[in-house]
Amino acid sequence: MKLNKTKIFVDGQEGTTGLEINERLLKRNDVELLKIDPEKRKDAVERAKYLNEADIVFLCLPDDAARESVSFIHNPSTRVIDASTAHRTAGDWVYGIPELSAEHRENIGNAKRVSNPGCFATGFAMLIYPLVREGIIPVDYPVTCHSVTGYSGGGKTLIQRFNAEENAEKLNSPCFYALGLNHKHLPEMQKHSGLSQPPIFTPIVSKYYRGMVVAIPLHIHTAKLLNSFYSDYYKGQPFVKVMPMDFETEWGYLTAESCNNTNNIEILTFGNDTQTLLAARFDNLGKGASGAAIQNMNVMLGVDETYGLI
């Protein structure tokens, strides 16, 4: 008996996230990838045809183009996973981090529209949401967050900029950016962590391709107690690795690339009896983008959440 395959269309399959989603899906035998003619990928009529033919659509597009694609969908059976920023704080879209709670996972499983989280926001929410939910920090706690990421997170434009010979000296050191404290992930970081005000967020991009660390210092609680709390909170989550307090860093350095090419996210706590540094380490193109999208698809389809992921 021939099994019915889930029809998948990746709108924006030429971008960094779209390419990785395609690569992951090509290894599966339970899906059928719908492929648009590259010359017609900006043709509205042709896109609409594929958008409405698919069971699940991945949107890997700029925000305005993602909104346009959603407006083309009239098939009530078509389900959407949007990797853009466009719908991450929209009330009628489900936010796609299933590990945050049983309610999050159930809502994703039942959803027609899922917004794939931003890479920075993934680490931030997975560190802060449990603390706010359980009353360990108040909703008005003044959170500061720093993060370092590889340049692939900026898409093709930033990749080309970092790889250009003429920029070798300009971009040779880690670079702070979003210096106006207005990074586009801030709205979702606040909303989906449960905070009443946005954090101060200072991202840093560095001269390596992929991998990131999101770090948050706290002036309350001990590192040991918080490590135990996260171990209990994320128990049984296949992609969440709460690292032990005696975790050995590389010569005292916390590198950003250890989870690359996986969908894992490591939760780490450092510090002493009065101050704690929380850290989340993961692949910005894995758990921070394409891996998270495939994980959300698995939840929506009701298949093994780890299927097709490392």
Side-chain angles (χ1 to χ4, degrees), residues 10 13 105 185 189 241 288 295:
V10 182
Q13 58 195 27
R105 181 172 276 105
H185 289 183
M189 290 167 75
K241 317 295 180 185
Q295 182 183 356

Side-chain angles (χ1 to χ4, degrees), residues 235-248:
K235 186 176 181 180
Q237 301 292 346
F239 296 117
V240 184
K241 317 295 180 185
V242 180
M243 308 305 285
M245 284 295 297
D246 58 358
F247 166 77
E248 278 193 41

Side-chain angles (χ1 to χ4, degrees), residues 156-172:
K156 285 187 174 181
T157 300
L158 194 62
I159 292 170
Q160 290 169 358
R161 187 175 296 163
F162 267 84
N163 288 334
E165 267 186 50
E166 63 268 24
N167 295 330
E169 291 186 11
K170 297 177 187 175
L171 300 174
N172 200 40

Side-chain angles (χ1 to χ4, degrees), residues 41-57:
R41 62 189 177 88
K42 294 186 179 180
D43 183 310
V45 174
E46 193 73 2
R47 281 171 58 210
K49 182 182 82 171
Y50 284 99
L51 288 164
N52 287 282
E53 184 182 342
D55 298 307
I56 290 185
V57 169

Side-chain angles (χ1 to χ4, degrees), residues 145-147 171 173-181 201-206:
C145 177
H146 311 280
S147 186
L171 300 174
S173 72
C175 303
F176 282 90
Y177 69 104
L179 299 175
L181 303 182
F201 176 47
T202 52
I204 302 165
V205 62
S206 193

Side-chain angles (χ1 to χ4, degrees), residues 14-82:
E14 301 302 319
T16 309
T17 300
L19 286 169
E20 291 226 349
I21 288 174
N22 268 301
E23 286 176 11
R24 293 173 186 271
L25 291 175
L26 284 170
K27 299 173 184 177
R28 297 176 61 144
N29 59 11
D30 63 329
V31 300
E32 176 188 347
L33 276 173
L34 305 179
K35 290 285 190 179
I36 192 170
D37 185 329
E39 294 181 359
K40 295 184 177 181
R41 62 189 177 88
K42 294 186 179 180
D43 183 310
V45 174
E46 193 73 2
R47 281 171 58 210
K49 182 182 82 171
Y50 284 99
L51 288 164
N52 287 282
E53 184 182 342
D55 298 307
I56 290 185
V57 169
F58 290 96
L59 301 179
C60 304
L61 301 162
D63 289 2
D64 288 343
R67 294 187 187 98
E68 180 184 55
S69 287
V70 173
S71 74
F72 292 158
I73 298 174
H74 306 296
N75 182 349
S77 298
T78 297
R79 306 172 80 182
V80 181
I81 300 171
D82 182 11

Side-chain angles (χ1 to χ4, degrees), residues 5-306:
K5 294 186 176 183
T6 302
K7 292 182 179 179
I8 306 291
F9 177 55
V10 182
D11 196 5
Q13 58 195 27
E14 301 302 319
T16 309
T17 300
L19 286 169
E20 291 226 349
I21 288 174
N22 268 301
E23 286 176 11
R24 293 173 186 271
L25 291 175
L26 284 170
K27 299 173 184 177
R28 297 176 61 144
N29 59 11
D30 63 329
V31 300
E32 176 188 347
L33 276 173
L34 305 179
K35 290 285 190 179
I36 192 170
D37 185 329
E39 294 181 359
K40 295 184 177 181
R41 62 189 177 88
K42 294 186 179 180
D43 183 310
V45 174
E46 193 73 2
R47 281 171 58 210
K49 182 182 82 171
Y50 284 99
L51 288 164
N52 287 282
E53 184 182 342
D55 298 307
I56 290 185
V57 169
F58 290 96
L59 301 179
C60 304
L61 301 162
D63 289 2
D64 288 343
R67 294 187 187 98
E68 180 184 55
S69 287
V70 173
S71 74
F72 292 158
I73 298 174
H74 306 296
N75 182 349
S77 298
T78 297
R79 306 172 80 182
V80 181
I81 300 171
D82 182 11
S84 80
T85 314
H87 301 103
R88 289 179 186 161
T89 58
D92 54 346
W93 285 66
V94 172
Y95 195 62
I97 305 181
E99 292 92 348
L100 290 183
S101 72
E103 295 88 349
H104 282 81
R105 181 172 276 105
E106 182 179 1
N107 289 339
I108 294 166
N110 295 327
K112 290 285 187 181
R113 302 286 184 265
V114 173
S115 183
N116 215 52
C119 53
F120 293 120
T122 295
F124 186 84
M126 292 188 70
L127 291 172
I128 294 297
Y129 175 84
L131 303 184
V132 174
R133 176 186 170 104
E134 300 301 321
I136 293 173
I137 62 172
V139 297
D140 60 351
Y141 187 85
V143 178
T144 297
C145 177
H146 311 280
S147 186
V148 62
T149 184
Y151 58 81
S152 60
K156 285 187 174 181
T157 300
L158 194 62
I159 292 170
Q160 290 169 358
R161 187 175 296 163
F162 267 84
N163 288 334
E165 267 186 50
E166 63 268 24
N167 295 330
E169 291 186 11
K170 297 177 187 175
L171 300 174
N172 200 40
S173 72
C175 303
F176 282 90
Y177 69 104
L179 299 175
L181 303 182
N182 57 354
H183 192 278
K184 67 178 183 177
H185 289 183
L186 276 171
E188 63 177 296
M189 290 167 75
Q190 178 186 347
K191 178 176 180 178
H192 298 294
S193 63
L195 294 172
S196 61
Q197 57 189 350
I200 292 178
F201 176 47
T202 52
I204 302 165
V205 62
S206 193
K207 198 172 184 178
Y208 66 99
Y209 188 70
R210 63 195 296 167
M212 72 189 318
V213 175
V214 175
I216 301 169
L218 297 178
H219 289 280
I220 54 176
H221 302 292
T222 70
K224 187 175 181 180
L225 285 175
L226 288 179
N227 185 271
S228 178
F229 166 76
Y230 284 123
S231 294
D232 290 339
Y233 193 89
Y234 287 120
K235 186 176 181 180
Q237 301 292 346
F239 296 117
V240 184
K241 317 295 180 185
V242 180
M243 308 305 285
M245 284 295 297
D246 58 358
F247 166 77
E248 278 193 41
T249 58
E250 295 289 337
W251 307 306
Y253 299 106
L254 183 63
T255 61
E257 300 175 284
S258 295
C259 292
N260 281 4
N261 301 305
T262 77
N263 198 53
N264 294 334
I265 180 167
E266 294 177 351
I267 305 294
L268 307 106
T269 58
F270 304 97
N272 49 50
D273 290 342
T274 58
Q275 296 177 323
T276 300
L277 179 66
L278 308 175
R281 175 164 63 175
F282 54 103
D283 184 346
N284 58 290
L285 297 181
K287 184 60 174 166
S290 63
I294 298 297
Q295 182 183 356
N296 283 321
M297 183 191 79
N298 288 342
V299 175
M300 294 166 77
L301 294 176
V303 302
D304 183 345
E305 199 165 316
T306 66

